[in-house]
């Protein structure tokens, strides 16, 4: 069963803006992170999946239902938490979430029961009878999540769920998302531009940039060791890079650090000796994990990582080398 | 925490399996109750709109305006029935056509309150969801945009119809009871029922439709209220000026675009009475023209309101 299937999905807005550009992707159920900078097309993709926006061309289906023709059926089983504020301030959370449950087609008794249950799940207790205008951002985000869950969806689409939250609030929201996905077995798609957050909740990651698919892979593949060693020196990094290259290593200078591909222990000795021979002041030696930020950086780690990947295929799966420069 | 919550009512099986396998094993939090779908959602929104037209479910202060206006609309009917009862006791005639408060004249008592009701409530009903960004939550559920708009417009029109028709009902019940015997009372009053129902429907439809259209286009409450009042108050003045100062032909052409005058025209056509407004009387257009104009304008206002929601970004 495919959760989401995209086939060459393209969305162009009237004023010539291309939000999605030939996206092809199959996703299995799980907790899926959708990362990309602001304007990368995350929200557009979510709205297309909901049937709120028609695609310009290509196909998209959710749970094997086509978004163009089966929008109403899809929406019955999907919960959506929008990025922006969407709560009327003069209504209580209980009344609002109950109303939204009714709008999903739940009978009124079920709507009330589910509302109580879901608000408890997101951690809103006595406050739920007060008007939402007086809520903190954290409470509002919880209500937004609750209304997305109230009708028992099979898929949750969360657009920047930690928007505007302080670090503690972020932690709580992320834990809540994680718990919702794992305990209840609901498939979750979390869109965010904050890679560090996504990393903490997702099993699978989809990175898009300017409407194109950058990469889709299990989270592990994104953060595994890349076989890249970063050597930070106070000065003389070009000197060092040249010397290392002369001794048969793949090295490039990147700011104050030199990045090089390492695959065996002896190479560390070469690095140590080279630094000592050049009498450089060594600040740190760091085994690089590929950080998600690298996805959006221009080819910096790609140069040393690519030959390493060629040299030792099993060590580091697809790395920066796959990415368009 | 949620681990302690009991399973949903009905002894939900914790292994409800979907077609795809264990990912649909939703566990104890699964909602396995009925999903009544789109029609249920539309009905719920329609009745919620009627209730919130009267401020029900929106706190005490929200009820002041709608209930005051509804009470003012009914008051003349209650007074008329009261005086008629007193007169009947004193041996005088029942409230006859001599009374100034009759079915045919009631429109002129009630219309101003209906207009104010529209101006007070429509911006709240239509502007709120736009102002606070609630529309995406509706449109990401089973409702379509057309469903949403129809339920909202329908709810407002239904609420207005209730306000408009209840004084007629008070008059009707009063006249039947005050009559020398209920049988003659019923037989003389029943023919009036379809008339006042039709007039009430046209008033609610036209004023509610126009107010919806304006409010849907103007999320800002104050502007919407002002625009609604302007659309109801200004056109009759222009028509009167044009008719009085220049030529009647031009006035005949534009009077059909003045909702207040159109409804005065339908009222006199339906009850066979003299129009309340002198300009409607002097232009002397056939009654069916007003009824036709009202029906066309209601359809146009509702249609354009729906169109607005089909195009609104959400």
């Amino acid at each position: 069963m495919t959760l989401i299937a995209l086939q060459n999905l393209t969305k162009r807005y009237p004023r010539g803006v291309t939000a999605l550009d030939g996206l092809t992707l199959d996703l299995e159920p799980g907790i899926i992170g959708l990362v990309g900078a602001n304007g990368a097309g995350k929200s557009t993709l979510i709205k297309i999946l909901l049937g709120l926006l028609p695609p310009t061309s290509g196909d998209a289906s959710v749970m094997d239902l086509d978004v163009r023709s089966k929008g109403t059926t899809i929406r019955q089983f999907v919960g959506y938490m929008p990025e922006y504020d969407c709560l009327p301030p003069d209504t209580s959370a209980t009344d609002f979430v109950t109303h939204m449950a009714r709008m999903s087609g739940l009978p009124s008794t079920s709507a009330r029961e589910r509302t109580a249950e879901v608000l408890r799940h997101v951690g809103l207790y006595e406050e739920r009878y007060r008007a939402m205008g007086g809520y903190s951002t954290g409470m509002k985000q919880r209500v937004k999540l609750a209304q997305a869950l109230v009708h028992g969806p099979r898929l949750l689409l969360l657009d920047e769920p930690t928007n505007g939250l302080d670090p503690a609030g972020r932690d709580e929201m992320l834990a809540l998302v994680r718990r919702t996905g794992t305990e209840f077995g609901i498939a979750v798609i979390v869109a965010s531009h904050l890679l560090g957050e996504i990393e903490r909740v997702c099993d699978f990651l989809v990175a898009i940039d300017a409407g194109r698919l950058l990469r889709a892979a299990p989270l592990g593949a994104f953060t595994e060791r890349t076989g890249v060693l970063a050597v930070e020196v106070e000065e003389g990094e070009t000197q060092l890079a040249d010397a290392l290259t002369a001794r048969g290593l793949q090295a490039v200078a990147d700011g104050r650090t030199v990045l090089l591909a390492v695959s065996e222990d002896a190479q560390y000795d070469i690095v140590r000796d080279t630094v000592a021979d050049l009498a450089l002041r060594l600040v740190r030696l760091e085994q690089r994990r590929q950080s998600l930020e690298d996805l959006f950086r221009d080819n910096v780690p790609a140069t040393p990582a690519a030959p390493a990947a060629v040299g030792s295929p099993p060590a580091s799966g697809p790395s920066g080398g796959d990415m368009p420069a | 925490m949620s681990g302690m919550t009991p399973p949903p009512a009905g002894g939900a099986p914790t292994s409800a399996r979907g077609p795809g396998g264990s990912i649909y094993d939703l566990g104890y939090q699964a909602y396995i109750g009925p999903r009544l779908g789109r029609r249920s959602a539309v009905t719920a929104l329609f009745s919620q709109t009627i209730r919130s037209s009267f401020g029900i479910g929106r706190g005490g202060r929200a009820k002041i305006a709608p209930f005051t206006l509804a009470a003012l609309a009914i008051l003349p009917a209650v007074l008329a029935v009261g005086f008629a009862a007193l007169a009947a006791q004193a041996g005088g005639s029942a409230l006859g056509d001599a009374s100034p408060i009759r079915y045919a004249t009631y429109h002129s008592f009630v219309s101003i309150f209906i207009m104010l009701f529209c101006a007070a409530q429509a911006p709240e009903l239509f502007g709120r969801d736009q102002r606070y960004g609630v529309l995406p939550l509706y449109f990401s559920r089973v409702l379509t945009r057309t469903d949403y708009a129809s339920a909202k417009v329908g709810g407002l029109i239904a609420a207005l119809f209730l306000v408009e028709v209840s004084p007629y009902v008070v008059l009707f019940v009063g006249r039947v009871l005050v009559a020398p015997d209920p049988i003659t009372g019923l037989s003389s009053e029943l023919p009036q029922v379809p008339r006042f129902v039709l007039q009430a429907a046209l008033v609610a439809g036209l004023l509610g439709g126009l107010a919806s259209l304006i409010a849907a286009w103007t999320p800002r409450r104050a502007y919407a209220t002002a625009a609604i009042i302007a659309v109801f108050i200004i056109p009759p003045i222009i028509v009167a000026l044009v008719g009085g100062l220049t030529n009647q032909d031009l006035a005949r052409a534009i009077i059909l675009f003045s909702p207040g005058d159109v409804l005065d025209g339908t009222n006199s056509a339906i009850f066979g009475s003299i129009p309340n407004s002198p300009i409607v009387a002097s232009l002397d257009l056939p009654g069916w023209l007003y009824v036709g104009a009202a029906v066309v304008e209601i359809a146009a206002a509702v249609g354009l309101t729906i169109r607005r929601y089909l195009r609104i970004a959400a």
Side-chain angles (χ1 to χ4, degrees), chain B residues 221-239:
Chain B
R221 199 202 149 99
Y223 296 159
T225 300
I228 291 169
I229 291 179
V231 163
F232 294 157
I233 301 286
I234 295 174
I237 299 173
I238 295 174
V239 171

Side-chain angles (χ1 to χ4, degrees), chain B residues 90-147:
Chain B
S93 68
L95 79 172
D97 289 347
S99 163
I101 303 173
R102 287 171 282 125
Y103 299 118
T105 58
Y106 210 86
H107 174 69
S108 57
F109 293 104
V110 80
S111 60
I112 182 70
F113 300 118
I114 298 290
M115 288 179 191
L116 291 175
F117 195 98
C118 286
Q121 301 307 102
E124 206 51 30
L125 293 177
F126 288 87
R128 249 164 59 94
D129 290 344
Q130 290 185 50
R131 257 198 323 272
Y132 301 124
V134 194
L135 288 180
L137 298 188
Y138 282 102
F139 298 159
S140 61
R141 295 185 138 74
V142 291
L143 295 161
T144 64
R145 288 164 179 249
T146 308
D147 293 340

Side-chain angles (χ1 to χ4, degrees), chain B residues 151-201:
Chain B
K152 283 271 179 180
V153 179
L156 175 61
I157 291 177
L160 291 173
F161 180 78
L162 287 177
V163 176
E164 167 88 16
V165 87
S166 35
Y168 287 109
V169 171
V170 169
L171 271 186
F172 171 78
V173 172
R175 290 176 74 116
V176 170
L177 293 181
V178 168
D181 71 292
I183 304 300
T184 46
L186 264 182
S187 62
S188 71
E189 299 303 317
L190 268 183
Q192 301 291 333
V193 173
R195 291 187 180 155
F196 70 66
V197 169
L198 177 59
Q199 172 66 10

Side-chain angles (χ1 to χ4, degrees), chain B:
Chain B
M1 166 210 73
S2 31
M4 293 183 292
T5 59
T14 52
S15 58
R17 282 187 201 284
S22 64
I23 192 66
Y24 293 116
D25 184 354
L26 293 176
Y28 48 86
Q29 271 269 355
Y31 176 69
I32 50 140
R35 293 175 192 270
L36 304 179
R38 193 174 146 192
R39 187 183 293 184
S40 153
V42 175
T43 319
L45 184 58
F46 174 72
S47 61
Q48 194 260 359
T49 306
I50 297 179
R51 275 182 283 123
S52 71
S53 300
F54 290 102
I56 299 168
R58 284 206 286 120
R61 273 197 305 172
K63 297 180 184 65
I64 297 173
F67 277 99
T68 308
L69 291 169
L72 288 173
I74 296 177
L75 190 64
V78 174
L79 290 179
V81 170
F83 284 128
L86 285 177
Q89 289 223 323
S93 68
L95 79 172
D97 289 347
S99 163
I101 303 173
R102 287 171 282 125
Y103 299 118
T105 58
Y106 210 86
H107 174 69
S108 57
F109 293 104
V110 80
S111 60
I112 182 70
F113 300 118
I114 298 290
M115 288 179 191
L116 291 175
F117 195 98
C118 286
Q121 301 307 102
E124 206 51 30
L125 293 177
F126 288 87
R128 249 164 59 94
D129 290 344
Q130 290 185 50
R131 257 198 323 272
Y132 301 124
V134 194
L135 288 180
L137 298 188
Y138 282 102
F139 298 159
S140 61
R141 295 185 138 74
V142 291
L143 295 161
T144 64
R145 288 164 179 249
T146 308
D147 293 340
Y148 172 88
S150 322
K152 283 271 179 180
V153 179
L156 175 61
I157 291 177
L160 291 173
F161 180 78
L162 287 177
V163 176
E164 167 88 16
V165 87
S166 35
Y168 287 109
V169 171
V170 169
L171 271 186
F172 171 78
V173 172
R175 290 176 74 116
V176 170
L177 293 181
V178 168
D181 71 292
I183 304 300
T184 46
L186 264 182
S187 62
S188 71
E189 299 303 317
L190 268 183
Q192 301 291 333
V193 173
R195 291 187 180 155
F196 70 66
V197 169
L198 177 59
Q199 172 66 10
L202 290 176
V203 172
L206 186 52
L207 299 188
L210 289 172
S212 301
L213 181 58
I214 294 166
W217 275 98
T218 324
R220 296 277 296 274
R221 199 202 149 99
Y223 296 159
T225 300
I228 291 169
I229 291 179
V231 163
F232 294 157
I233 301 286
I234 295 174
I237 299 173
I238 295 174
V239 171
L241 283 177
V242 169
L245 296 179
T246 60
N247 65 55
Q248 302 247 313
D249 285 337
L250 184 59
R252 279 197 185 92
I254 62 173
I255 194 166
L256 295 179
F257 295 97
S258 159
D261 291 321
V262 166
L263 292 173
D264 196 31
T266 62
N267 188 67
S268 73
I270 287 169
F271 290 106
S273 61
I274 302 157
N276 184 49
S277 148
I279 184 76
V280 176
S282 78
L283 290 181
D284 198 27
L285 287 169
W288 60 263
L289 200 56
Y290 289 111
V291 177
V295 170
V296 169
E297 285 163 21
I298 291 169
V302 173
L304 287 172
T305 309
I306 291 173
R307 203 175 99 118
R308 156 76 175 158
Y309 279 98
L310 287 176
R311 302 191 167 198
I312 204 167

Side-chain angles (χ1 to χ4, degrees), chain A residues 1 29 47 50 52 63 72 75-77 80 82 85-91 96 99-100 102-107 110 113-114 117 120-121 125 147 150-152 154 179 183-186, chain B residues 1-2 5-6 8-9 19-20 23-31 34-38 40-41 44-45 48 57-58 124 128 132-134 136-145 314:
Chain A
M1 158 88 171
K47 286 182 178 176
L50 281 165
L52 290 180
M63 299 180 278
T72 306
R75 288 193 293 267
Q76 195 158 0
F77 296 103
Y80 170 50
D85 232 4
C86 55
L87 307 175
D90 56 352
T91 312
F96 182 71
H99 178 59
M100 283 301 149
R102 300 277 280 135
M103 294 302 102
S104 287
L106 265 60
S110 311
E113 286 168 10
R114 283 288 303 179
E117 214 169 295
R120 206 176 329 119
H121 169 63
Y125 304 95
Q147 65 78 31
V150 70
H151 53 293
R154 292 176 188 171
R179 217 149 54 81
E183 281 182 25
F184 310 138
I186 300 172
Chain B
M1 166 210 73
S2 31
T5 59
I23 192 66
Y24 293 116
D25 184 354
L26 293 176
Y28 48 86
Q29 271 269 355
Y31 176 69
R35 293 175 192 270
L36 304 179
R38 193 174 146 192
S40 153
L45 184 58
Q48 194 260 359
R58 284 206 286 120
E124 206 51 30
R128 249 164 59 94
Y132 301 124
V134 194
L137 298 188
Y138 282 102
F139 298 159
S140 61
R141 295 185 138 74
V142 291
L143 295 161
T144 64
R145 288 164 179 249

